Amino acid sequence: MLEVKDLTVQYGAVRAIGGVDLSVDEGSLTAVLGANGAGKTTLLRAVSGLLRPKAGRVELDGADITRLPVEDIVRRGVAHVPQSGGVITELTVEDNLRLGGLWRVSGRRDRAALARRVAEMYELFPPLAERRAKTAATLSGGERQMLALARALTGAPRLLLVDEPSLGLAPRVVAQLMAVLRRLCDEDGRTVLLVEQNARSALSVADRAVVLDLGAVVASEAAATIAADDRLRHAYLGF
Ligand code: ATP
């Protein structure tokens, strides 16, 4: 579904990633792992069109999307959940959710579909249902990450790009989030590209994993193969 070919992204003279290849199958969960500064966030931002690569291609369903405007990439079904979640803290949980899908609405039928998707999010994330009328500022870190994911999902994306959802969360909450990401693939047929520094958690739910170091791919294997590779784990994954 997603093919990244020989991708190079620079910030001015600084090369953040160089010659990165990545292939993601529809309905799968792929983890992008590696230490701080390895280039994970840069890769994700280049896929969603937020950064313009210096060289290489990004293809979605065989079409070149490398230089499309962000809104066109979103329309093709790509949603990006940034590292801090990006929820609007002044708005209620409900309004954040509606906002995530509002761009799809142009008529009454669309509005009904959006209401249905919001209701589905409350089923998927019951704590959000209890807090639907509260502002997002009142949520815990884990609830905010749930809201960030749910908000992206109300836009009914096919490919979900998630940047370090586990940051700052308790292990139990991380496990819940990882389980939700897995279910999105297994039950809804969505495709997930998950950037994580918490390699152990990500590998526990991923089908495949890519390990980045200094902006280059050092391994691209089945998640179980990477989890079983002591050398890779010690050198790049910190467990
Ligand atoms: P983290 O987990 O800290 O987000 P990462 O693996 O996502 O790390 P990136 O944020 O993609 O890594 O950074 C890759 C490289 O690009 C790093 O060397 C970083 O210092 C550099 N970099 C990132 N953003 C910028 C920027 N806006 N300007 C200049 N250099 C940057």
Side-chain angles (χ1 to χ4, degrees):
M1 177 189 201
L2 175 72
E3 295 281 343
V4 171
K5 296 180 176 168
D6 206 12
L7 201 70
T8 295
V9 181
Q10 295 195 181
Y11 298 101
V14 178
R15 175 160 296 196
I17 56 175
V20 167
D21 292 308
L22 172 69
S23 181
V24 174
D25 288 337
E26 180 143 31
S28 72
L29 198 166
T30 302
V32 179
L33 310 173
N36 248 321
K40 306 180 298 296
T41 296
T42 300
L43 173 61
L44 218 57
R45 291 173 61 85
V47 169
S48 57
L50 295 169
L51 287 174
R52 294 292 162 209
K54 174 136 175 108
R57 279 161 78 89
V58 180
E59 291 177 5
L60 189 69
D61 305 316
D64 185 357
I65 62 164
T66 323
R67 278 165 187 85
L68 287 186
V70 174
E71 55 269 32
D72 289 354
I73 296 176
V74 170
R75 262 191 223 106
R76 285 169 188 246
V78 178
H80 185 147
V81 183
Q83 202 160 53
S84 56
V87 303
I88 300 173
T89 51
E90 293 85 354
L91 293 182
T92 63
V93 166
E94 175 101 8
D95 284 343
N96 267 284
L97 288 177
R98 289 174 47 77
L99 211 52
L102 210 55
W103 62 275
R104 280 188 176 276
V105 173
S106 61
R108 190 188 308 176
R109 199 179 298 169
D110 295 339
R111 269 198 294 281
L114 175 58
R116 225 170 23 248
R117 284 200 297 275
V118 168
E120 280 167 17
M121 289 307 119
Y122 291 139
E123 278 171 34
L124 192 60
F125 301 100
L128 297 183
E130 293 165 27
R131 290 167 181 73
R132 67 178 77 190
K134 298 263 184 1
T135 64
T138 66
L139 300 180
S140 68
E143 289 161 356
R144 250 188 239 197
Q145 274 301 349
M146 287 179 201
L147 179 57
L149 268 183
R151 188 180 65 163
L153 290 169
T154 56
R158 291 169 55 228
L159 173 62
L160 192 63
L161 311 173
V162 193
D163 198 348
E164 271 188 57
S166 80
L167 207 69
L169 301 183
R172 186 179 51 83
V173 181
V174 173
Q176 283 170 357
L177 273 176
M178 294 295 152
V180 167
L181 293 176
R182 185 69 250 173
R183 286 214 323 265
L184 291 174
C185 297
D186 293 344
E187 293 171 18
D188 297 353
R190 289 185 216 278
T191 310
V192 177
L193 187 59
L194 168 66
V195 160
E196 261 301 338
Q197 265 199 64
N198 186 340
R200 194 199 294 260
S201 295
L203 287 170
S204 72
V205 292
D207 298 298
R208 296 189 60 81
V210 173
V211 180
L212 292 182
D213 184 48
L214 301 174
V217 175
V218 293
S220 178
E221 304 279 351
T225 307
I226 288 185
D229 187 325
D230 289 345
R231 189 193 65 84
L232 272 181
R233 284 197 291 119
H234 296 155
Y236 303 109
L237 305 180
F239 77 100

